[in-house]
Amino acid sequence: MAVGKDDVEIIKPRTDKRQYRRLVLKNSLHVLLISDPDADKCAASMNVSVGAFCDPVGLEGLAHFLEHMLFYASEKYPVEDSYLKYISEHGGMANAFTSSEHTNYYFDVNPDSFEEALDRFAQFFIKPLMSADATMREIKAVDSENQKNLLSDVWRLNQLWKHLSSEDHPYHKFSTGNWETLEVRPRAKGLDTRHELIKFYNEHYSSNLMHLVVYSKESVDKIQGLVENKFRDIRNTDRNRFRFPGQPCTSEHLQILVRAVPIRQGHKLRIGWPITPSIHHYKEAPGRYISHLIGHESEGSLFFILKTLGWATSLAADEGDWTLDYSFFEVTVDLTDSGHEHMQDVVGLLFKYINLLQQSGASKWIFDELSTVCEVTFHYQDKVPPIDYVVTVAANMETYPPQDWLVGESLPSNFNPEIIQMTLKELSPKTVRIFWESKQFEGKTEMVEPWYGTAYSVENINESIIQDWILSAPKENLHLPAPNVFVPTDLSLKDTQEAKFPVLLRKSSYSTLWYKPDTMFSTPKAFVNIYFNCPHASSSPESEVLTDIFTQLLHDYLNEYAYYAQVAGLYYGINHTEGGFEVTVVGYNHKLRILLETIFQKIAQFKVQPDRFSVIKEMVTKEYHNNKFLQPYQLAMYYCSLILQDQTWPWTEELEVLPHLEAEDLAKFVPMMLSRTFLECYIAGNIESNEAGSIIQYIEDVFFKGSNPICQPLFPSQHLTNRVVKLEKGKNYVYSNQGLNPSDENSCLVHYIQVHRDDFLMNVALQLLNLIAKQPAFHQLRTVEQLGYITALRRRNDFGIHGVQFIIQSSVKGPKYIDLRVESFLQMFESKLYEMTSDQFKNNVNALIDMKLEKHKNLNEESGFYWREISDGTLKFDRREAEVAALRQLTQQELIDFFNENIKAGAPRKKTLSVRVYGRLHAPEWKEETSESAEPHIVHIDDIFSFRRSQPLYGSFKGGFVQMKL
């Protein structure tokens, strides 16, 4: 029974129709119930106030390891992995994460399976089983997870930041865990890791340290009965929440300049200060106010000056790691080569801007404007999937009073200049930590961080050195931002006609416009997508690179103006795509047209500024070079796409042409690229049909009209099509290559099975097989065989050509061996498929139907679904309804026949492509494989482009739009 329930009103968005109830169970478990009659997924999240800071000395990663182990089994449900199997088979997903001070477990599932799923979930915290065999296997999984992070700069530099803190503070610890910390070292000390794990669970996991959020379509009364019944047996040992007062950094860790060697190319500055946690003043929001100004990108801002000087390509300011006891305010700057040479000036300018903020004092109008934007954002926030919502709210429950559980720190409302000034004073040269990353420090450092092997050196810098940097920094006109003209004031909803699907509102030889008014979400927002289909944009590696630079330069030119729109909740993107580029604007519709017209004027009047071209070229060159450091699974998926998708260029060729491209090349290229184009347009949301038509008319007038138009319509022969290689039936294709990073021990296999061209009945058969096989594949290949942390079975869709792919990254076994294990799994799965009862078949069909009938949560999600249909050319806007109808007709025998024909190991019509990337540990196997004589049923792909040219292609769904009938 619940013993506590109060009348505190939980603040919620004005548009939120859900019901909330707070209660405290007899065992002191704090619970928030959420009733949403419109929900088509139910979800729960348990936030436990126990994290990596609680790890015993010498058992680093134990809290994270426990998070893994709780998924295995419980006394009530002893079959290993049955929890994940149940969730997966009933349309859901489950996961967890461990942070410094808490661990969060969460899942979602179809509504009719929620009660049992919740019961299985509750057993994590009542009577979990942690068998010796499972313990040993999962230590290997944790080690594999750590292996994938070892060459990631984010993980490496984060640990270095923590490493340079007091050894007496838990912040200093390594929190992921690996084979060494969870097996080798404990064993050497005579410790049994499983015994320590159980002891840790019993000592730390107590119901009074837990916060639960349950989201269901049932009434709050019914959810309450469910929760009381399922969670009342969690033990309450009345533990105190783990607290470690004080800042992690002593004086020796402040006033330091750390030079560190990253894996990837590029230079970065991370400048941080220990500050009073803003969470103690979350209504006054000093951290948000200061980060808003230091991170601003408008004219006169720190970033604007650094960008104008050619020294920086991005800047971010925010409160980073924080707890109730400590916090860091951090400014991160991505430097150009020139900026790297002027590091002291960059730091000097940052302190000049901080001095400006201190001297000008906190500004009420800036705080009020920020408060207004935050209020609009909160009250008109998009609905998100329940699984995301419960995780956020469960974390908030630990930190905020009940009335602010939904709000968190998102509604600053109390202007207090003294508190803002107090935080500004903490951004002092006396307490600064400067971390400077660059490959140029290679061979010039003396120390190595022990967990990730990052090379670094430390230099002490006193206040007078920083003052010298401030004095010698350029005399630039730093100033505060202007009032934001993009803050929306008209949030009214338009009176639009009902439309279930997008309609073709207009078409011409210049464009097509698909339009869908919002009749679902009732928010004052719109979504506009304009795709410039330009044949010249992708005709060669050079044109691909020039188009890429063009889109990035446009962003660069627009930035100081459009940043105001972004702050006010109006976002834009200009992205390079397969056959041209795409302009997307999403957000509040009130002032969307102003931003949209500015973007298109900038495209129409595009001029190359040589200094900015040089900066963007340098940045793009580094991005291409850094492809060498992709994770092996990312590289394998890239090769798979390169093999399958016609008219795509390898990044290696693009990198080869980059050094030779100059500003004049782009100046000549852009007019030619735009000279022939066709616009595919989609407009949706709180916007009337005449407004939508008027926007497209405006764009056509800018580009296609006048005495000397920028663009001409495409010829019928020029309409670009997305073609996909059609693999031959009964053939196994194999492409093998070495990983590009010689330091990476991981290998990867992508085992792709190509099945069919878009067809409703075949689609649902493939989706159903994927749903049934996904969890058994994960269990067998990852949990039992421990091939690697990254193990997944996923569907793949290349422009309407459907298949499935196994993705397995491993440092334990090579790709050829893993390929055999995938085939072995398919043989094992075959028998499970034959043994499936008719009831099990029906349950799986119903689970997939429920997933398909899940409503879009917000305008962006809905627009993404419909835009995919438009961009692929399939135009099946009723896809979900049609596929549900096909599912209802599908028989169990038809599913088995489909499997036997297309997926089964050795099926005569099966079409398989295995992409094998060999890491350092398995390089000798790659050499063996390349020297072996080919087996009769295997076709080795030696040259991707020779292979691609020799293969037939599937027909494209894209046609010439001029022929379309209204």
Side-chain angles (χ1 to χ4, degrees):
M1 291 291 292
V3 294
K5 209 177 1 175
D6 60 32
D7 297 324
V8 172
E9 186 180 348
I10 295 172
I11 299 166
K12 66 179 189 176
R14 286 193 282 268
T15 52
D16 189 350
K17 298 183 177 69
R18 293 169 288 207
Q19 274 194 297
Y20 298 85
R21 178 180 291 172
R22 173 187 179 244
L23 61 137
V24 182
L25 301 192
K26 276 188 177 178
N27 58 3
S28 297
L29 173 66
H30 291 257
V31 185
L32 181 65
L33 313 176
I34 307 175
S35 170
D36 180 4
D38 295 329
D40 32 35
K41 272 276 197 296
C42 296
S45 170
M46 180 74 90
N47 200 71
V48 186
S49 300
V50 177
F53 279 6
C54 295
D55 285 346
V57 176
L59 276 163
E60 292 86 358
L62 194 66
H64 176 222
F65 179 44
L66 175 61
E67 170 225 300
H68 277 237
M69 287 302 300
L70 292 189
F71 281 79
Y72 264 82
S74 62
E75 282 192 17
K76 187 171 182 181
Y77 300 100
V79 177
E80 194 176 281
D81 253 6
S82 60
Y83 166 72
L84 286 175
K85 182 173 184 288
Y86 184 87
I87 296 288
S88 177
E89 286 178 352
H90 294 88
M93 66 86 65
N95 212 332
F97 61 86
T98 304
S99 62
S100 300
E101 294 195 316
H102 43 257
T103 307
N104 192 297
Y105 303 85
Y106 55 95
F107 76 92
D108 70 1
V109 76
N110 291 337
D112 57 358
S113 308
F114 186 53
E115 184 169 348
E116 184 175 333
L118 198 65
D119 191 50
R120 289 172 177 272
F121 181 67
Q123 300 308 308
F124 282 30
F125 315 103
I126 297 171
K127 285 192 175 174
L129 290 180
M130 300 182 230
S131 72
D133 179 48
T135 300
M136 188 54 68
R137 278 185 278 124
E138 206 55 31
I139 290 174
K140 291 177 183 174
V142 170
D143 187 64
S144 177
E145 182 177 356
N146 183 61
Q147 284 274 351
K148 82 171 174 61
N149 301 334
L150 290 178
L151 297 177
S152 161
D153 283 329
V154 172
W155 286 89
R156 292 166 69 86
L157 277 304
N158 212 37
Q159 188 63 42
L160 179 60
W161 180 272
K162 291 164 66 176
H163 180 67
L164 294 173
S165 66
S166 171
E167 290 184 28
D168 296 329
H169 197 288
Y171 186 73
H172 181 82
K173 291 178 179 180
F174 167 61
S175 57
T176 308
N178 60 20
W179 183 254
E180 186 76 16
T181 67
L182 295 171
E183 171 58 20
V184 177
R185 292 184 189 178
R187 188 177 290 277
K189 291 180 189 171
L191 294 176
D192 179 288
T193 302
R194 178 173 174 267
H195 173 75
E196 296 300 317
L197 186 74
I198 294 166
K199 179 177 156 190
F200 183 88
Y201 177 84
N202 289 333
E203 283 183 3
H204 291 282
Y205 270 48
S206 172
S207 56
N208 71 303
L209 296 181
M210 298 180 184
H211 294 85
L212 174 69
V213 180
V214 178
Y215 190 116
S216 171
K217 64 188 298 150
E218 303 293 351
S219 69
V220 283
D221 288 337
K222 189 159 183 185
I223 309 170
Q224 180 171 335
L226 201 61
V227 167
E228 288 171 353
N229 179 259
K230 306 291 183 197
F231 292 88
R232 66 187 175 201
D233 292 334
I234 302 176
R235 277 182 325 133
N236 180 13
T237 55
D238 206 25
R239 298 283 302 176
N240 290 324
R241 182 180 165 187
F242 181 85
R243 291 284 295 269
F244 203 99
Q247 289 281 356
C249 294
T250 61
S251 57
E252 70 174 290
H253 308 114
L254 304 174
Q255 291 193 317
I256 55 172
L257 171 61
V258 179
R259 292 175 175 84
V261 182
I263 297 292
R264 297 163 73 87
Q265 287 203 5
H267 321 285
K268 192 186 286 279
L269 270 178
R270 180 180 179 183
I271 304 152
W273 301 262
I275 63 166
T276 304
S278 287
I279 190 67
H280 297 300
H281 307 288
Y282 67 94
K283 295 287 188 190
E284 293 78 15
R288 182 184 281 257
Y289 177 91
I290 294 165
S291 63
H292 168 66
L293 293 175
I294 295 179
H296 216 281
E297 299 182 14
S298 63
E299 189 179 341
S301 67
L302 174 62
F303 177 68
F304 176 80
I305 299 299
L306 294 176
K307 178 186 145 181
T308 305
L309 291 164
W311 292 350
T313 56
S314 77
L315 183 149
D318 204 0
E319 207 165 342
D321 286 345
W322 64 266
T323 67
L324 293 174
D325 299 298
Y326 72 83
S327 183
F328 290 99
F329 189 90
E330 295 174 25
V331 178
T332 306
V333 188
D334 283 315
L335 301 171
T336 61
D337 291 347
S338 177
H340 178 70
E341 299 301 319
H342 289 87
M343 181 279 291
Q344 296 173 4
D345 291 328
V346 173
V347 175
L349 282 166
L350 168 59
F351 275 105
K352 271 190 173 183
Y353 194 78
I354 291 167
N355 291 342
L356 169 71
L357 297 181
Q358 290 170 340
Q359 288 157 17
S360 57
S363 169
K364 187 167 190 308
W365 79 260
I366 291 176
F367 184 89
D368 288 346
E369 184 182 90
L370 190 60
S371 179
T372 299
V373 169
C374 288
E375 192 172 345
V376 170
T377 303
F378 177 73
H379 286 294
Y380 294 95
Q381 63 185 271
D382 287 339
K383 205 170 183 182
V384 297
I387 193 168
D388 298 332
Y389 195 56
V390 294
V391 169
T392 302
V393 176
N396 283 351
M397 287 170 71
E398 185 183 47
T399 309
Y400 301 94
Q403 66 266 27
D404 289 331
W405 280 353
L406 307 183
V407 173
E409 61 177 1
S410 65
L411 282 182
S413 53
N414 301 338
F415 177 61
N416 188 319
E418 290 77 23
I419 289 175
I420 292 170
Q421 280 291 2
M422 176 195 77
T423 304
L424 274 170
K425 279 179 187 165
E426 292 178 308
L427 308 186
S428 158
K430 294 176 182 174
T431 56
V432 73
R433 288 156 57 89
I434 302 172
F435 282 59
W436 187 13
E437 303 165 32
S438 174
K439 296 284 267 189
Q440 290 186 14
F441 300 139
E442 225 155 9
K444 301 174 185 173
T445 56
E446 305 90 48
M447 288 171 272
V448 176
E449 188 280 319
W451 299 108
Y452 290 83
T454 305
Y456 73 99
S457 62
V458 181
E459 177 188 336
N460 291 309
I461 47 165
N462 58 34
E463 194 174 354
S464 65
I465 290 173
I466 300 280
Q467 290 301 336
D468 288 344
W469 293 357
I470 295 170
L471 290 171
S472 64
K475 308 290 186 286
E476 297 291 339
N477 182 25
L478 290 162
H479 60 80
L480 298 177
N484 192 338
V485 297
F486 282 102
V487 176
T489 53
D490 180 1
L491 298 163
S492 60
L493 299 180
K494 305 286 175 75
D495 186 17
T496 54
Q497 291 184 327
E498 284 283 331
K500 190 175 182 184
F501 301 118
V503 294
L504 185 59
L505 193 63
R506 56 176 278 166
K507 67 167 187 159
S508 67
S509 59
Y510 311 127
S511 70
T512 55
L513 168 60
W514 293 94
Y515 165 71
K516 174 152 188 331
D518 173 24
T519 53
M520 277 277 294
F521 311 110
S522 301
T523 59
K525 297 178 183 180
F527 179 100
V528 177
N529 209 81
I530 314 293
Y531 168 43
F532 282 71
N533 184 332
C534 308
H536 295 300
S538 55
S539 58
S540 67
E542 286 92 344
S543 59
E544 282 277 330
V545 175
L546 288 167
T547 306
D548 193 6
I549 294 174
F550 164 72
T551 58
Q552 299 209 38
L553 265 176
L554 279 170
H555 266 287
D556 188 74
Y557 294 171
L558 285 159
N559 191 62
E560 48 268 17
Y561 173 79
Y563 186 79
Y564 283 107
Q566 185 181 316
V567 168
L570 189 54
Y571 302 94
Y572 82 103
I574 304 169
N575 297 306
H576 177 202
T577 58
E578 289 91 6
F581 65 97
E582 211 167 76
V583 176
T584 308
V585 182
V586 295
Y588 300 108
N589 57 276
H590 180 205
K591 297 178 180 178
L592 181 145
R593 180 81 182 250
I594 302 168
L595 177 61
L596 201 68
E597 290 188 5
T598 305
I599 292 169
F600 286 110
Q601 286 296 336
K602 194 64 82 173
I603 295 170
Q605 297 162 11
F606 183 82
K607 294 280 185 291
V608 181
Q609 297 171 20
D611 58 331
R612 299 312 301 160
F613 175 87
S614 298
V615 168
I616 299 298
K617 177 184 169 182
E618 179 193 310
M619 186 172 76
V620 169
T621 303
K622 287 171 185 168
E623 285 171 4
Y624 279 97
H625 271 295
N626 284 331
N627 283 330
K628 294 170 186 173
F629 306 109
L630 289 171
Q631 290 252 11
Y633 81 91
Q634 295 170 315
L635 187 60
M637 291 175 75
Y638 161 75
Y639 285 139
C640 196
S641 296
L642 197 60
I643 291 165
L644 292 171
Q645 295 174 10
D646 194 38
Q647 289 299 306
T648 48
W649 310 103
W651 67 263
T652 46
E653 290 181 6
E654 292 167 353
L655 181 59
E656 201 176 312
V657 302
L658 248 169
H660 311 292
L661 297 174
E662 300 300 337
E664 305 80 57
D665 298 308
L666 185 64
K668 289 175 193 166
F669 171 76
V670 172
M672 183 185 72
M673 176 186 71
L674 292 173
S675 67
R676 291 282 172 187
T677 192
F678 183 79
L679 308 178
E680 288 180 57
C681 314
Y682 178 69
I683 298 181
N686 190 40
I687 197 159
E688 292 168 347
S689 60
N690 61 334
E691 290 178 87
S694 158
I695 287 171
I696 303 310
Q697 186 61 58
Y698 168 80
I699 297 169
E700 286 187 2
D701 289 347
V702 168
F703 289 97
F704 292 96
K705 304 295 166 67
S707 56
N708 188 21
I710 297 163
C711 306
Q712 297 285 342
L714 292 188
F715 290 114
S717 61
Q718 285 184 295
H719 283 271
L720 291 177
T721 56
N722 302 317
R723 304 291 297 274
V724 176
V725 166
K726 189 175 189 177
L727 301 178
E728 194 177 330
K729 290 171 185 170
K731 287 278 177 29
N732 297 331
Y733 298 90
V734 175
Y735 177 74
S736 300
N737 210 334
Q738 280 187 292
L740 298 175
N741 181 359
S743 303
D744 201 331
E745 296 184 348
N746 291 290
S747 295
C748 182
L749 169 77
V750 169
H751 180 102
Y752 167 68
I753 304 168
Q754 189 179 73
V755 183
H756 66 281
R757 191 171 183 266
D758 195 45
D759 170 90
F760 290 145
L761 191 58
M762 295 185 82
N763 292 353
V764 297
L766 189 66
Q767 291 161 17
L768 190 58
L769 276 173
N770 185 72
L771 177 72
I772 297 166
K774 186 168 58 173
Q775 187 53 36
F778 181 85
H779 175 69
Q780 181 61 34
L781 299 171
R782 180 191 183 278
T783 308
V784 176
E785 299 188 28
Q786 284 295 317
L787 293 176
Y789 177 75
I790 295 175
T791 298
L793 170 59
R794 292 182 186 159
R795 288 184 289 121
R796 183 181 174 109
N797 177 4
D798 297 273
F799 310 119
I801 309 305
H802 296 264
V804 289
Q805 55 188 0
F806 291 83
I807 304 163
I808 302 168
Q809 181 168 297
S810 178
S811 60
V812 181
K813 297 290 183 183
K816 188 174 181 182
Y817 173 85
I818 297 171
D819 224 345
L820 295 172
R821 299 315 303 151
V822 168
E823 289 292 327
S824 176
F825 165 76
L826 287 172
Q827 289 168 356
M828 185 176 71
F829 177 72
E830 184 182 341
S831 59
K832 289 193 174 181
L833 192 63
Y834 293 156
E835 291 162 10
M836 185 168 58
T837 66
S838 59
D839 282 347
Q840 287 171 327
F841 173 76
K842 284 175 194 165
N843 289 340
N844 284 314
V845 167
N846 290 335
L848 186 54
I849 287 172
D850 286 347
M851 290 164 73
K852 289 199 159 296
L853 293 178
E854 201 177 319
K855 295 182 287 290
H856 296 298
K857 299 293 176 291
N858 53 60
L859 179 65
N860 283 1
E861 191 182 298
E862 179 192 77
S863 298
F865 176 84
Y866 290 131
W867 179 250
R868 176 80 188 258
E869 294 293 334
I870 294 164
S871 63
D872 280 358
T874 41
L875 301 177
K876 292 171 181 171
F877 299 125
D878 64 343
R879 175 176 300 279
R880 298 196 301 180
E881 295 80 357
E883 289 187 346
V884 165
L887 257 176
R888 296 192 199 280
Q889 300 299 315
L890 184 72
T891 67
Q892 189 169 351
Q893 188 56 50
E894 284 173 331
L895 182 69
I896 291 168
D897 291 345
F898 178 86
F899 174 82
N900 288 341
E901 197 167 306
N902 299 290
I903 310 289
K904 174 181 171 176
R909 290 168 53 89
K910 185 175 174 183
K911 303 181 287 184
T912 303
L913 168 63
S914 291
V915 177
R916 302 170 180 173
V917 171
Y918 285 84
R920 180 163 64 85
L921 290 181
H922 308 113
E925 295 174 32
W926 177 70
K927 287 174 183 161
E928 280 174 34
E929 186 184 322
T930 50
S931 61
E932 287 171 1
S933 55
E935 298 164 56
H937 61 294
I938 290 180
V939 178
H940 281 278
I941 300 171
D942 298 316
D943 177 81
I944 289 175
F945 308 103
S946 298
F947 170 77
R948 216 166 63 180
R949 282 190 292 269
S950 69
Q951 296 303 300
L953 303 173
Y954 277 102
S956 172
F957 287 99
K958 299 282 270 189
F961 282 84
V962 268
Q963 279 80 44
M964 291 178 57
K965 298 280 190 289
L966 272 170

